[in-house]
């Protein structure tokens, strides 16, 4: 730029014509500022007239609006940034932020979306940082080392690629723009030099005026210049424009025509500025007011001195009222932000409350996780807060969520240890089930298999990756055993019905039996009945009462033969001992011993219970019917216990005999082997 341009920029004589008015600067509109960005501060009202506009407030306001107009003038497409919706990026997820960045780059000019892109970038980085911190804590909670942590995010990679593409496009755009702006600057400086020369040309005034109009038209079409030069170039142009009009005073008619035309145009601008005060959209109205100021400066020349102050004051008054209205709008906006702050503080307090009382079970924690997610959504949807509180609010929110996540992760870390212990327990049960699934010892194994199933249900969860496999294997083993059991029962049921008919026949025969008077012979006959009865086998469960009938008839016969109850029980049981002796099956004998031992323990328990019942009576007397009943039952149980012990004694003798025979056989075989060798 020439020295004269700089010099003229400081010597503008007509303040009302060269100043842009006391308009608040067009900084970033507050409704479009993301929650994590700092809103621009608005200057105070300028109530001064054009003559006193050198006050600090007016100068700041003039400089800011001149700067904004210069920015828009640099590229007419730049004004498009005001119409692009500025979303609440704080409420968007990382994936949605990437989608919005991609949409802006595909549908908007690169020079119009700088504020949008930077707001998206800042919000994305905050969310990604929080996301990575959570993943890192989860990694460490699973036993990993912080130095080994790494995470590959597809979303982050997509964002970085888009942002790099945006920077390249923007860089290329401004490289091309700079070249064009400098060319335009040279053109405008040339126009100013030619304008200066008009006052020294000795020619017909009409020809000079025609040349002046041609220069004005060239000026309008010269295109934008660098924003840093815009205001200086414009002021220099205005200065020489006024000099030319003073020169034109020699031809008052032409000058007055221009002044009149300019006055009409500036009155229109003033009327439009006043009408904007009724525009509902304050931001739209403010942007249009800036356009009016630009037209006032660039497209319309001066008016007569007698009208300059009046028309400027009218335009400035509309500007000041717009400024007051805008300030009121921002004050209401601040109140809304304060309400949002209070709402977010309540949400943070609730998250902190949940974090301090994390549940101790999976179901409870899952419920709390859903609640925290709901609170997170509410926090992001609550809107923006005052800038001074933004950082502290965001930090408190992240800390509250992080504390919950740490407690949650600690719970699941311990839960995983417990699940692995549960896995070991279930593996042990599975081994037992597999070992028993082919057994035919139904009476012993069936209760054991049911016990295994109960224990399985009582054990908690196992790690998910093992859950299905171990359950299927366990279920298969249980199904295999019980399918065999049911198959046996089905085939056995038919046999049991046949056995029932046979036992009913034996029962009828026993009913018709008459004692001969020969005791030994009668006892042998009774033993034959007992053997037949036992040889027949089981009957259906709902018909087992016939055994009681059979035993009652036997007891009646034994009483007639003066056989005591203990001896009678031994006689009933005697054939079983004989059968076992014939079979010489040590396993069957041991099974029978276990059965008898169990019966002995059961009867002992019943005896202890009856004896305890006697202790409830303060003075137990046989005259008391209840005491008498307990004593009778107690005597029966003791006799029964003696019977079972007698049976056990016989089994022990049988087992010892078999063991002795086996030992003798082994000794004999060993002697024979020695003799052979």
């Amino acid at each position: 730029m020439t020295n004269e341009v700089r010099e003229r920029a400081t010597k503008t004589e007509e303040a009302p014509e060269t100043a842009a008015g006391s308009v608040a600067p067009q900084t970033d509109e507050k409704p479009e500022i993301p929650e994590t960005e700092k809103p621009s501060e608005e200057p105070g009202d300028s109530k001064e007239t054009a003559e006193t506009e050198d006050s600090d407030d007016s100068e700041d306001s003039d400089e800011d609006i001149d700067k904004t107009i210069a920015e828009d003038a640099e590229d007419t497409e730049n004004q498009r940034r005001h119409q692009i919706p500025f979303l609440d990026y704080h409420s968007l997820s990382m994936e949605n932020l990437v989608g919005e960045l991609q949409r802006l780059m595909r549908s908007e000019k690169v020079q119009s979306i700088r504020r949008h892109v930077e707001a998206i970038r800042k919000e994305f980085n905050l969310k990604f940082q929080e996301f990575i911190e959570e993943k890192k804590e989860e990694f460490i909670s699973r036993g990993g080392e912080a130095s080994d942590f790494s995470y590959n995010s597809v979303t982050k990679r997509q964002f970085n690629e888009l942002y790099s593409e945006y920077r390249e496009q923007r860089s290329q755009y401004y490289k091309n723009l700079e070249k064009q702006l400098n060319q335009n600057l040279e053109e405008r400086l040339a126009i100013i030099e030619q304008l200066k020369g008009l006052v020294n040309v000795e020619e017909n005034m009409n020809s000079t005026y025609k040349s002046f109009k041609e220069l004005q038209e060239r000026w309008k079409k010269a295109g934008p210049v660098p924003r840093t030069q815009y205001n200086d170039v414009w002021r220099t142009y205005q200065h020489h424009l006024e000099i030319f009009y003073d020169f034109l005073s020699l031809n008052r008619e032409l000058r007055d025509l221009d002044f009149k035309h300019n006055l009409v145009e500036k009155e229109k601008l003033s009327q439009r500025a006043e009408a904007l005060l009724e525009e509902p959209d304050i931001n739209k109205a403010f942007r249009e007011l800036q356009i009016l100021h630009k037209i006032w400066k660039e497209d319309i020349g001066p008016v007569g001195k007698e009208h300059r102050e009046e028309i400027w004051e009218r335009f400035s008054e509309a500007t000041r009222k717009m400024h007051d209205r805008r300030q009121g709008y921002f004050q209401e906006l601040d109140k809304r932000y304060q309400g949002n702050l209070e709402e977010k503080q309540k949400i943070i307090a609730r998250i902190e409350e949940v974090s301090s009382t994390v549940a101790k079970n999976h179901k409870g924690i899952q419920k709390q996780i859903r609640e925290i997610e709901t609170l997170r959504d509410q926090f992001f949807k609550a809107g923006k807060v005052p800038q001074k509180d933004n950082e502290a609010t965001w930090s408190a929110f992240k800390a509250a969520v992080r504390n919950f996540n740490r407690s949650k992760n600690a719970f699941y870390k311990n839960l995983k240890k417990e699940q692995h212990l549960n896995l070991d327990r279930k593996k042990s049960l599975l081994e037992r089930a597999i070992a028993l699934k082919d057994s035919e010892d139904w009476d012993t194994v069936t209760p054991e298999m049911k016990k295994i199933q109960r224990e399985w249900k009582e054990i908690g969860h196992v790690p998910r990756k093992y859950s299905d496999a171990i359950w299927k294997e366990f279920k298969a083993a249980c199904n295999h055993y019980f399918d065999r059991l049911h198959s046996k029962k089905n085939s056995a049921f038919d046999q049991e019905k046949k056995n029932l008919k046979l036992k009913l026949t034996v029962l009828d025969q026993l009913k018709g039996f008459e004692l001969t008077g020969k005791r030994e012979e009668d006892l042998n006959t009774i033993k034959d009945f007992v053997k037949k009865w036992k040889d027949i086998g089981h009957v259906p469960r709902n018909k087992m009462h016939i055994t009681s009938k059979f035993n009652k008839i036997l007891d009646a016969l034994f009483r007639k033969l003066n056989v005591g109850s203990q001896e009678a029980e031994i006689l009933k049981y005697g054939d079983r001992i004989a059968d076992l002796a014939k079979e010489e099956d040590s396993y069957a004998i041991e099974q029978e011993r276990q059965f008898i031992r169990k019966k002995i323990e059961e009867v002992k328990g019943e005896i202890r219970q009856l004896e305890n019942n006697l202790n409830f009576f303060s003075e137990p007397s046989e005259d008391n019917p209840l005491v008498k009943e307990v004593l009778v039952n107690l005597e029966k149980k003791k006799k029964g216990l003696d019977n079972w012990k007698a049976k056990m004694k016989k089994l022990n003798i049988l087992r010892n005999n078999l063991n002795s025979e086996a030992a003798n056989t082994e000794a004999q075989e060993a002697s024979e082997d020695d003799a052979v060798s």
Side-chain angles (χ1 to χ4, degrees):
M1 179 183 293
T2 65
N3 290 333
E4 184 179 5
V5 171
R6 295 191 181 90
E7 187 178 326
R8 296 299 185 188
T10 63
K11 295 182 179 179
T12 306
E13 295 176 359
E14 299 290 345
E17 296 300 329
T18 59
S22 54
V23 182
Q26 187 190 6
T27 55
D28 295 344
E29 292 88 350
K30 282 193 176 183
E32 299 177 349
I33 297 170
E35 188 170 313
T36 53
E37 284 190 356
K38 181 178 180 181
S40 303
E41 295 183 2
E42 301 295 337
D45 273 350
S46 175
K47 301 291 185 182
E48 304 297 327
T49 61
E51 288 81 4
T52 59
E53 68 178 1
D54 288 336
S55 66
D56 291 340
D57 288 346
S58 285
E59 287 181 356
D60 290 344
S61 180
D62 292 343
E63 289 176 3
D64 286 340
I65 199 166
D66 285 347
K67 180 180 177 182
T68 304
I69 293 174
E71 183 180 355
D72 287 346
E74 189 175 70
D75 183 358
T76 54
E77 289 292 338
N78 205 20
Q79 295 183 15
R80 166 62 185 158
R81 74 186 192 278
H82 303 304
Q83 282 77 48
I84 301 173
F86 206 104
L87 306 182
D88 183 7
Y89 299 122
H90 194 58
S91 65
L92 299 183
S93 66
M94 290 192 296
E95 291 76 12
N96 288 339
L97 288 171
V98 171
E100 178 62 13
L101 175 58
Q102 187 176 45
R103 187 193 68 79
L104 287 171
M105 292 177 60
R106 300 295 180 266
S107 61
E108 302 292 347
K109 300 285 187 180
V110 69
Q111 68 272 26
S112 303
I113 59 174
R114 179 185 60 81
R115 285 180 57 252
H116 301 72
V117 172
E118 291 307 313
I120 289 173
R121 183 180 69 86
K122 189 168 187 177
E123 200 60 55
F124 182 91
N125 287 340
L126 286 172
K127 284 183 167 58
F128 184 72
Q129 180 184 2
E130 180 190 10
F131 174 78
I132 286 296
E133 287 175 357
E134 290 181 5
K135 291 297 181 183
K136 187 175 182 179
E137 287 182 3
E138 289 180 8
F139 176 77
I140 295 173
S141 70
R142 293 196 298 267
E145 293 293 334
S147 58
D148 296 332
F149 174 76
S150 64
Y151 190 86
N152 182 25
S153 170
V154 176
T155 305
K156 175 65 171 172
R157 186 170 66 251
Q158 291 173 340
F159 178 83
N160 288 344
E161 291 172 355
L162 284 171
Y163 188 70
S164 295
E165 181 183 347
Y166 160 76
R167 288 173 61 89
E168 290 176 5
Q169 290 179 5
R170 183 176 173 84
S171 175
Q172 186 61 45
Y173 165 78
Y174 280 111
K175 188 181 295 183
N176 296 334
L177 179 64
E178 182 180 10
K179 181 179 179 181
Q180 184 61 50
L181 292 177
N182 287 327
Q183 291 177 357
N184 296 341
L185 176 61
E186 294 301 322
E187 169 68 8
R188 287 186 181 272
L189 292 176
I191 292 171
I192 291 173
E193 291 299 319
Q194 293 178 47
L195 180 59
K196 287 166 57 179
L198 287 180
V199 298
N200 298 319
V201 176
E202 294 182 1
E203 63 178 4
N204 181 275
M205 185 58 68
N206 287 333
S207 298
T208 302
Y209 185 73
K210 181 179 179 182
S211 299
F212 167 69
K213 286 297 183 182
E214 289 174 353
L215 289 176
Q216 278 190 314
E217 191 63 28
R218 282 175 57 195
W219 180 268
K220 291 180 181 179
K221 296 178 179 179
V225 299
R227 71 181 69 177
T228 55
Q229 313 295 334
Y230 172 80
N231 285 306
D232 287 345
V233 172
W234 176 80
R235 290 188 182 104
T236 303
Y237 173 73
Q238 286 292 320
H239 173 72
H240 289 290
L241 195 66
E242 290 163 6
I243 290 176
F244 178 79
Y245 273 112
D246 288 340
F247 166 73
L248 200 62
S249 62
L250 298 176
N251 190 333
R252 183 175 299 275
E253 182 180 352
L254 291 175
R255 188 192 67 174
D256 289 347
L257 284 174
D258 257 13
F259 279 172
K260 183 178 180 180
H261 170 76
N262 294 340
L263 178 61
V264 170
E265 293 302 315
K266 290 191 173 183
E267 284 176 342
K268 290 179 182 179
L269 292 182
S270 298
Q271 290 173 359
R272 181 55 188 160
E274 291 164 348
L276 287 176
L277 296 174
E278 305 300 324
E279 168 62 45
D281 188 339
I282 183 66
N283 290 312
K284 179 181 177 183
F286 182 71
R287 288 193 296 270
E288 187 171 343
L289 179 62
Q290 289 178 314
I291 294 173
L292 297 182
H293 273 269
K294 185 173 183 291
I295 295 172
W296 185 291
K297 290 178 64 174
E298 294 188 9
D299 297 345
I300 304 175
V303 300
K305 291 183 179 180
E306 69 275 16
H307 298 296
R308 287 180 186 177
E309 183 176 343
E310 178 184 356
I311 191 62
W312 170 247
E313 180 59 30
R314 179 182 177 185
F315 188 63
S316 295
E317 180 63 20
T319 298
R320 283 192 291 271
K321 288 181 178 179
M322 177 66 74
H323 179 75
D324 292 342
R325 182 184 170 203
R326 192 163 180 255
Q327 287 295 97
Y329 167 77
F330 286 147
Q331 289 172 2
E332 289 299 317
L333 201 60
D334 286 339
K335 291 180 182 178
R336 193 169 74 194
Y337 287 175
Q338 186 64 35
N340 295 344
L341 173 62
E342 294 171 1
E343 178 64 22
K344 287 193 171 185
Q345 287 173 338
K346 291 179 182 177
I347 293 171
I348 292 171
R350 176 55 188 161
I351 295 175
E352 291 173 341
E353 182 181 347
V354 174
S355 300
S356 64
T357 56
V358 175
K360 302 300 182 184
N361 57 76
H362 173 72
K363 183 178 180 181
I365 281 198
Q366 287 300 309
K367 182 179 179 182
Q368 288 180 326
I369 289 174
R370 290 191 293 271
E371 182 179 1
I372 293 295
E373 287 300 319
T374 300
L375 290 170
R376 280 172 57 94
D377 291 341
Q378 291 174 0
F379 181 88
F380 288 126
K381 292 177 182 177
K384 302 167 189 174
V385 302
Q387 178 63 25
K388 62 184 178 63
D389 301 300
N390 184 69
E391 186 173 347
T393 304
W394 177 246
S395 297
F397 170 73
K398 288 200 300 181
V401 174
R402 188 181 299 114
N403 288 339
F404 173 79
N405 286 335
R406 285 174 177 167
S407 299
K408 174 199 68 177
N409 292 339
F411 168 81
Y412 280 109
K413 182 178 180 180
N414 293 331
L415 183 63
K416 286 180 180 178
K417 292 181 181 178
E418 183 180 338
Q419 287 181 344
H420 278 91
L421 291 175
N422 292 341
L423 179 62
D424 292 338
R425 296 189 190 105
K426 288 194 172 182
K427 284 181 177 178
S428 177
L429 293 179
L430 174 62
E431 290 174 359
R432 287 165 59 189
I434 292 175
L436 296 174
K437 69 185 181 72
D438 292 314
S439 174
E440 295 187 358
D441 186 3
W442 311 107
D443 292 339
T444 303
V445 174
T446 300
E448 179 66 14
M449 289 293 283
K450 290 181 178 179
K451 180 183 177 184
I452 290 172
Q453 289 179 320
R454 286 195 302 271
E455 290 179 5
W456 183 280
K457 291 179 181 179
E458 292 170 0
I459 297 174
H461 295 284
V462 302
R464 185 180 298 273
K465 65 179 180 179
Y466 302 111
S467 179
D468 289 344
I470 194 170
W471 164 245
K472 289 178 180 178
E473 196 172 357
F474 178 75
K475 183 180 179 182
C478 292
N479 288 346
H480 177 79
Y481 175 80
F482 284 105
D483 287 346
R484 291 174 56 244
L485 175 63
H486 295 152
S487 176
K488 177 183 179 301
K489 284 185 175 181
N490 290 337
S491 60
F493 184 69
D494 294 335
Q495 183 61 44
E496 287 174 351
K497 290 192 290 186
K498 295 178 181 177
N499 294 342
L500 176 61
K501 292 180 179 180
L502 294 174
K503 284 196 173 184
L504 288 174
T505 301
V506 173
L507 185 61
D508 290 339
Q509 292 173 355
L510 183 62
K511 287 179 181 178
F513 172 67
E514 295 289 342
L515 295 175
T516 62
K518 298 178 181 179
R519 190 173 187 277
E520 291 301 323
E521 185 177 328
D522 290 336
L523 285 175
N524 289 331
T525 303
I526 292 173
K527 287 180 182 180
D528 290 338
F529 277 113
V530 171
K531 186 176 185 308
K532 286 180 182 179
W533 186 269
K534 290 190 174 183
D535 287 345
I536 291 173
H538 296 290
V539 299
R541 184 178 296 273
N542 62 346
K543 299 296 182 179
M544 290 181 67
H545 60 277
I546 65 169
T547 301
S548 298
K549 293 181 179 180
F550 181 77
N551 286 330
K552 284 181 180 180
I553 297 174
L554 288 179
D555 290 339
L557 292 172
F558 284 137
R559 283 196 296 272
K560 291 179 180 180
L561 293 172
N562 294 320
V563 176
S565 59
Q566 183 174 349
E567 185 183 356
E569 287 297 325
I570 296 298
L571 288 173
K572 293 179 193 176
Y573 191 74
D575 288 341
R576 177 59 179 160
I577 300 295
D579 292 340
L580 290 172
K582 291 177 183 178
E583 294 173 3
E584 295 186 355
D585 186 346
S586 58
Y587 178 76
I589 293 173
E590 191 59 34
Q591 290 293 104
E592 191 69 18
R593 288 183 72 253
Q594 290 180 10
F595 172 75
I596 300 299
R597 186 181 295 110
K598 183 178 179 181
K599 288 294 183 181
I600 290 173
E601 293 302 320
E602 288 177 358
V603 175
K604 283 182 177 180
E606 292 171 354
I607 291 173
R608 284 193 297 269
Q609 183 62 47
L610 290 171
E611 290 174 343
N612 288 336
N613 291 344
L614 283 176
N615 292 332
F616 287 113
F617 296 97
S618 57
E619 294 182 1
S621 172
E622 294 187 8
D623 295 334
N624 187 328
L626 294 176
V627 174
K628 187 176 182 179
E629 182 181 353
V630 172
L631 291 172
V632 170
N633 288 335
L634 184 59
E635 186 62 26
K636 287 182 179 179
K637 294 297 179 183
K638 288 182 177 180
K639 290 180 179 179
L641 180 60
D642 292 338
N643 291 336
W644 287 116
K645 286 182 177 180
K647 293 176 182 179
M648 177 61 79
K649 184 177 180 180
K650 283 196 169 190
L651 283 172
N652 288 339
I653 294 171
L654 178 59
R655 184 188 65 173
N656 292 336
N657 290 338
L658 287 176
N659 289 342
S660 297
E661 291 176 5
N664 292 334
T665 301
E666 290 179 2
Q668 184 177 355
E669 290 176 352
S671 298
E672 291 175 355
D673 291 340
D674 291 341
V676 171
S677 61

